[in-house]
Amino acid sequence: MSSESLGTPHTIWSLLKQYDRIEIPIIQRDYAQGRKSAKSIRDGILNHILEAVSDNRKVELDFIYGVERPYKLGDDEQIAFVPIDGQQRLTTLWLVHWYLANKAGLLDNKEGEAVSLLGKFTYETRPSSKRFIECLCTEPVTLGPDLRETIVEDAPWFDEAWKLDPSIMGAITVLEAIASHDALKKHTPQELLTNLTQNDCVTFYFLPLEKFGLGEEIYTRMNARGKVLTDFEKVKSKLFKIINESPLKKVIADKIEYKWVENLWPYRPKGTYLTDTPFIKWLGYITQILYVVKNGNTKDDVDYTSEKVLSEIYSSEENLRFLIHSLDSIPDLVDAPIDFSMEWDENTGLAEPVRWILNQFSGNNTDVMKQLGVMAALIFLYERKDTDGIGDFMRVVRNMIGNTANKSLREWPTLIGSIRNLVCPDVYAILRQPDLSLKGFRQEQRDIEVFKAKLIDAQHDAYALVCKMDDNPALIGRLGNIIIECQESVPTDRFKLTLSDIAPDDVDIQRLKKLFEAYESMRTFASGNDFNGIWGDLLNTRLYKFNEFVCWYDDDDNYSDYNVHPVLLKLAREIADNNGDIDATLVSREKKFVKKMLAEYGGNLATVSSPKHQLYLFYIMTVRFMDMTWQDFFMRYGFNFGWVNAENGYTTPFDNPLTVNGETVNGTRNIIYQTYKTRFVEGYGVGYRRTPRVLVANQPKRRNIFRKLTEWAES
């Protein structure tokens, strides 16, 4: 379209006279020409404008596109011009006019034309930007040599929070550039302003899109001549469009610029000064939860920041209030009195889950523990309005989420409904109610939490111990079996009791405390972790199975892992009964085993043929007679074993071939064990770094090993 078809060129001054307001809309980007990175662009347009004004010659600034928007001021009908493309140029032009008018003293007369016309320009992208523009026209601004200091530091009306608004700080940067321009050294501000407002040195053609059947919907294709909006600007535009008629719109508009910026500031991406990314992450997270609860969604491809989804969720005022609450509550979540780790790791409280959501949330079903944990805390704060009792509440919720296998999106509505049922300043009192519904959570863990609540009520000195045991990273809240082991008449690796057989009044708290202390000391014994240091003494338990190819750890009792297996708890009970002396207890166990083998094999240990038995004897040799440790036996943390035929340099001291169910394994005697990895192949060959060192031939300390074992066991 040619400029001739658009009529007379305009200036910003004539546009301000024609319309009641020029309104930079909320969908626009921040004022970009003031960014530090935009110096070349900024210098280019200011030179283009001010050099023309200084020379009193005419220049054009291309087209300005926009829409006319009617609005009411009292009872009067008003018309605003809303630029869709050209807002950056208009803002720069307005700042030039404002600076010259200020320096010329025209803004001192609050009833004058300069104040009246300049006051028609307004920013809707952020409430802070809008208020800043208003203050420039209505508040006294005496510009000194250091313009930034005069406005930012000295002006009593300047809000400290505005330092976080990129549009405001960008505008100040542009004003500094105007103030230092050579045009101000050649002419007075009044002369330059006259050239602008009367001689029309800087003009542009503007196009009201309605006249051509176009509207604001083409903005994202035209904005800044093809430059797309940021994700934050798009999302903000969608959200404000949806809540346009809501009484909460102003609340959100204010908070999104002040309180929420402050709340999200610690989570902004490194090297940036915007909170756009954490805001979008958090909005997507909250929207996903509300959407799934509403629809029972099971899909993974939903865009939770799409206009369709945002409209469906935030057309509800209750959901909108919860969104506001969630963003308001971010500091409360981080500082909540939760003195334990949400995921049984080194971090405490909710700080890490909150950070994960604000930095890594991607809208799919990952890290459910973090997502549901933070949501549980938000629900508690929303319904309770304070943090009284939140620690115990979150501990119970954590235990049940962490020990429930099925946490798919399909289950979230049920799980969140059950979490709501637990909201109370005394969660243990709620758990004791017989009609409490905790659907969705694993039944075994629900029973454990109910039992703990009854135990705490029956024996008040149990509370501290229960909390400590709950927080143990090996037990992870699964206290049922350790309580059962405590109440068995003798140490056993096959329980006779169930939790339902035990009355909370009858639990021996002191014995349970000693049992837990032994359990915890086992976990880190011999510089190990996760019970690595005592694993060799579990080789002859039913935790291990074997066939003709491999001897492996297997939880044959359907426990989620060995940490709560009766075999492990029996050993803890033995240690507790032995005054907590782990080493003495293990030595006693090992000696009993050697004696048992001597009895079964006619006093000749060399004829032992079971893989489990051979391995356990090898382990005892390693740690008791060869000055080695469990790491030297379980090479590269390999706790399962396969075997290969011996090669030069390796040998076995056993005479008999391996047997499985009475059958000879591979028909050979000289079998070498190797830690069994995924890529292990029978016959692959001996690998030194995967073979216990006790199998290396001609080990001096292995000589007469069976005689030494026999004498040691009988000593």
Side-chain angles (χ1 to χ4, degrees), residues 159-201:
D159 192 323
E160 279 290 309
W162 292 355
K163 292 179 180 179
L164 303 178
D165 187 326
S167 289
I168 292 176
M169 302 313 291
I172 292 173
T173 298
V174 171
L175 288 173
E176 287 181 308
I178 295 169
S180 62
H181 199 276
D182 286 344
L184 273 297
K185 301 174 184 177
K186 299 176 182 178
H187 303 278
T188 67
Q190 182 63 67
E191 290 171 340
L192 296 174
L193 188 62
T194 298
N195 288 343
L196 275 172
T197 60
Q198 296 181 27
N199 298 339
D200 298 343
C201 285

Side-chain angles (χ1 to χ4, degrees), residues 26 235-254 256 260 279 283 307 310-317 319-321 323-324:
I26 202 163
V235 169
K236 187 172 71 169
S237 172
K238 297 171 191 173
L239 183 61
F240 276 93
K241 180 179 178 181
I242 292 163
I243 66 173
N244 189 53
E245 302 301 323
S246 171
L248 297 173
K249 177 183 178 181
K250 187 177 186 307
V251 174
I252 291 176
D254 287 340
I256 206 170
W260 295 346
F279 177 85
L283 176 65
E307 185 170 345
L310 291 174
S311 178
E312 179 180 345
I313 298 306
Y314 298 113
S315 294
S316 161
E317 185 171 314
N319 285 345
L320 202 55
R321 290 188 184 280
L323 174 65
I324 294 170

Side-chain angles (χ1 to χ4, degrees), residues 440-475:
F441 291 116
R442 185 182 181 189
Q443 183 63 52
E444 180 184 4
Q445 193 62 37
R446 287 151 60 182
D447 294 342
I448 291 172
E449 296 304 322
V450 169
F451 186 91
K452 284 186 281 189
K454 293 178 179 178
L455 178 63
I456 289 168
D457 184 55
Q459 304 193 53
H460 296 295
D461 57 343
Y463 174 76
L465 178 60
V466 166
C467 291
K468 190 173 183 179
M469 293 168 69
D470 268 345
D471 296 344
N472 183 272
L475 289 173

Side-chain angles (χ1 to χ4, degrees), residues 505-557:
D505 286 344
D506 294 338
V507 175
D508 188 331
I509 298 299
Q510 291 308 309
R511 181 193 292 174
L512 181 61
K513 183 173 182 290
K514 291 180 180 179
L515 178 58
F516 172 67
E517 289 172 349
Y519 178 89
E520 176 60 8
S521 63
M522 284 166 48
R523 186 172 69 89
T524 57
F525 178 68
S527 302
N529 198 14
D530 294 329
F531 304 98
N532 293 340
I534 55 92
W535 193 257
D537 287 278
L538 302 177
L539 284 165
N540 191 44
T541 69
R542 64 184 215 270
L543 279 174
Y544 264 88
K545 290 185 177 180
F546 63 95
N547 59 25
E548 64 271 29
F549 301 114
V550 62
C551 189
W552 75 97
Y553 153 72
D554 181 71
D555 179 4
D556 63 350
D557 294 313

Side-chain angles (χ1 to χ4, degrees), residues 268-280:
R268 68 193 188 279
K270 186 177 181 180
T272 69
Y273 297 93
L274 294 172
T275 57
D276 297 1
T277 297
F279 177 85
I280 291 174

Side-chain angles (χ1 to χ4, degrees), residues 554-603:
D554 181 71
D555 179 4
D556 63 350
D557 294 313
N558 296 317
Y559 293 94
S560 56
D561 60 57
Y562 70 89
N563 288 348
V564 293
H565 198 286
V567 164
L568 193 69
L569 296 172
K570 177 186 178 183
L571 178 54
R573 174 82 170 271
E574 292 174 1
I575 293 169
D577 291 344
N578 198 18
N579 297 317
D581 191 331
I582 296 181
D583 200 59
T585 304
L586 297 181
V587 167
S588 175
R589 259 198 172 206
E590 293 161 9
K591 287 184 175 182
K592 287 179 182 177
F593 173 74
V594 174
K595 290 179 182 178
K596 180 181 178 183
M597 292 297 99
L598 287 168
E600 287 186 13
Y601 290 92

Side-chain angles (χ1 to χ4, degrees), residues 525-526 533-534 536-537 581-591 594 616-630 633 694 701 705 708-709 712-713:
F525 178 68
I534 55 92
D537 287 278
D581 191 331
I582 296 181
D583 200 59
T585 304
L586 297 181
V587 167
S588 175
R589 259 198 172 206
E590 293 161 9
K591 287 184 175 182
V594 174
Y616 193 19
L617 287 171
F618 276 142
Y619 178 77
I620 296 170
M621 295 176 196
T622 299
V623 298
R624 301 302 171 193
F625 297 99
M626 300 184 69
D627 298 326
M628 294 183 184
T629 67
W630 64 268
F633 184 79
V694 67
K701 293 185 179 181
I705 194 68
K708 293 178 181 177
L709 274 173
W712 174 75

